[in-house]
Amino acid sequence: MALLLLVEDDPTIGKVLESSLASAGHDVTWHDTGGAALDHAESRQVDLVLLDLGLPDMDGIDVCRRLRAVQPACVVVMLTARHEEMDVVVGLSAGADDYLTKPIRLGELLARVQAHLRRGGTGPATDNTLTIGALTVDTGRRRVTVGDHEVVLRTKEFDLLARLAAEPGVALSRQTLMADVWDAHWSGPTKTLDVHVAVLRRKLEAAADGTADPPRIVTLRGFGYRLD
């Protein structure tokens, strides 16, 4: 049984989601404000958060950032009526792992929640160390360094980098990366992959800062990515 935190201010939507998630066997706590949700997250462990971005007391993006700070291992899925691409990108960059656009389709929501929970934040890691040039990925301790600099990564960022590092120089398709890092039965948009790659690039480049043989994630247009 997973511990879920639902943050939704619309009572009709909230009741339907709470009931559906509880019927699927999850322990669901529902709050209708960002402040109440953060108070809950600061005192109790959470496995997954369903977070509406349009909250009455706080911007959902700010709530996402603060949730990530107090619950770094939990999965955050944004629920948004915003269709602009930039809102999605900002939300994913703020720490969300995924998003669903309203009106929510219950079948897709339940499948996506189950997919994230199956991954359990463990990703592809095994108990060894991968070294590619100046990059070291310690999958046993889940630590990353570039030269002498440690790189602090969120759960999915680490899992994605570990998957790329497991086959350096090999072109990996978007489908392969989504299946291995998120879930084999993933359905829906894959923009989250692009945002996670962009964040990884920034963090790796900042850590490299003059280091010889820095890691580089190469975009293969129309196919996927490769770690050089």
Side-chain angles (χ1 to χ4, degrees), residues 3-26:
L3 302 176
L4 271 55
L5 173 59
L6 171 62
V7 192
E8 170 60 64
D9 69 315
D10 186 310
T12 301
I13 295 175
K15 288 176 183 176
V16 171
L17 295 184
E18 181 185 39
S19 175
S20 298
L21 292 164
S23 296
H26 303 300

Side-chain angles (χ1 to χ4, degrees), residues 4-11 13-15 17-18 21 28-41 46 48-64 67 74-80 102 104 109:
L4 271 55
L5 173 59
L6 171 62
V7 192
E8 170 60 64
D9 69 315
D10 186 310
I13 295 175
K15 288 176 183 176
L17 295 184
E18 181 185 39
L21 292 164
V28 185
T29 299
W30 171 26
H31 289 294
D32 59 5
T33 65
L38 289 170
D39 287 343
H40 178 93
V46 176
L48 184 143
V49 181
L50 292 168
L51 173 63
D52 180 26
L53 291 188
L55 297 171
D57 62 330
M58 301 175 64
D59 186 87
I61 301 298
D62 292 333
V63 176
C64 181
L67 279 171
C74 78
V75 175
V76 179
V77 178
M78 299 182 297
L79 307 178
T80 177
K102 294 180 180 179
I104 302 296
L109 171 68

Side-chain angles (χ1 to χ4, degrees), residues 38-186:
L38 289 170
D39 287 343
H40 178 93
E42 288 173 355
S43 61
R44 302 170 201 171
Q45 181 61 42
V46 176
D47 297 313
L48 184 143
V49 181
L50 292 168
L51 173 63
D52 180 26
L53 291 188
L55 297 171
D57 62 330
M58 301 175 64
D59 186 87
I61 301 298
D62 292 333
V63 176
C64 181
R65 290 193 180 97
R66 292 173 62 178
L67 279 171
R68 181 57 66 199
V70 298
Q71 295 263 5
C74 78
V75 175
V76 179
V77 178
M78 299 182 297
L79 307 178
T80 177
R82 305 174 186 179
H83 298 278
E84 291 295 327
E85 180 174 319
M86 186 53 64
D87 290 318
V88 172
V89 171
V90 171
L92 292 170
S93 298
D97 297 285
D98 192 14
Y99 71 97
L100 286 168
T101 302
K102 294 180 180 179
I104 302 296
R105 293 178 292 178
L106 285 177
E108 181 182 3
L109 171 68
L110 294 174
R112 199 76 69 81
V113 166
Q114 197 58 38
H116 281 296
L117 294 173
R118 274 199 298 268
R119 296 305 299 173
T122 58
T126 56
D127 191 12
N128 58 19
T129 300
L130 306 170
T131 302
I132 302 96
L135 172 69
T136 299
V137 181
D138 184 336
T139 56
R141 295 187 294 169
R142 296 181 70 83
R143 294 183 63 185
V144 172
T145 56
V146 177
D148 297 327
H149 303 284
E150 182 164 357
V151 186
V152 178
L153 300 179
R154 302 200 312 262
T155 299
K156 289 299 182 188
E157 293 166 2
F158 180 91
D159 293 342
L160 176 57
L161 181 59
R163 180 62 186 91
L164 289 164
E167 296 186 79
V170 175
L172 298 174
S173 69
R174 298 177 66 84
Q175 293 79 6
T176 294
L177 292 170
M178 290 302 300
D180 291 351
V181 178
W182 278 267
D183 187 81
H185 305 290
W186 186 266

